Amino acid sequence: VQLVESGGGLVQTGGSLRLSCAASGISFDEYAIGWFRQFPGNDSEGISCRSASTSGTYYADSVKGRFTMSTDFAQNTVYLQMNDLKPEDTAIYYCAANYFYCLDDDSPMGGDEYEYRGQGTKVTVSS
């Protein structure tokens, strides 16, 4: 299994970025795919995921209405469109996959709960 993220960078407050994750070795029909982020200081937060069990897409409250996750089944790629970025969104963003499920108490689960993760891409939002 390989997950390769791209698209991170430096952006000003209010700006937008789109992250991509190219997946190989898994099928989105069986594997949930999601994004989590790790902040400076190592706290992490699950922010979005698509569940293979429900086919639904879920978001953390902190990004709801600003971030949109989409899936290209033909390319086995997922995207995270991030709008209205804030300095508190500064983190390393990881794409991750887990067999079927991606929720923890109805919220996207954190990085430690996924089977597979990519190498991460850094997002820095300047004020």
Side-chain angles (χ1 to χ4, degrees):
V1 176
Q2 195 169 23
L3 303 170
V4 181
E5 304 99 332
S6 61
L10 174 65
V11 64
Q12 290 186 329
T13 297
S16 298
L17 283 173
R18 188 175 84 151
L19 306 183
S20 300
C21 172
S24 59
I26 59 168
S27 165
F28 292 160
D29 289 332
E30 293 185 321
Y31 275 80
I33 189 83
W35 295 89
F36 71 93
R37 58 189 178 183
Q38 190 163 38
F39 299 106
N42 287 329
D43 284 343
S44 67
E45 178 187 28
I47 54 176
S48 179
C49 72
R50 179 192 176 274
S51 171
S53 64
T54 69
S55 298
T57 302
Y58 304 88
Y59 298 93
D61 288 343
S62 60
V63 304
K64 205 171 287 184
R66 299 188 299 125
F67 291 11
T68 303
M69 180 178 169
S70 59
T71 308
D72 184 334
F73 290 91
Q75 298 295 323
N76 230 40
T77 298
V78 294
Y79 302 96
L80 185 68
Q81 178 66 42
M82 306 187 295
N83 297 330
D84 190 24
L85 283 161
K86 305 174 182 181
E88 52 263 42
D89 293 317
T90 294
I92 299 174
Y93 285 70
Y94 293 88
C95 175
N98 192 65
Y99 187 70
F100 260 78
Y101 305 109
C102 67
L103 298 178
D104 184 1
D105 287 337
D106 296 329
S107 294
M109 61 191 193
D112 289 346
E113 300 178 83
Y114 282 94
E115 289 183 71
Y116 304 104
R117 63 196 280 178
Q119 82 285 353
T121 186
K122 188 173 184 180
V123 171
T124 303
V125 185
S126 64
S127 56

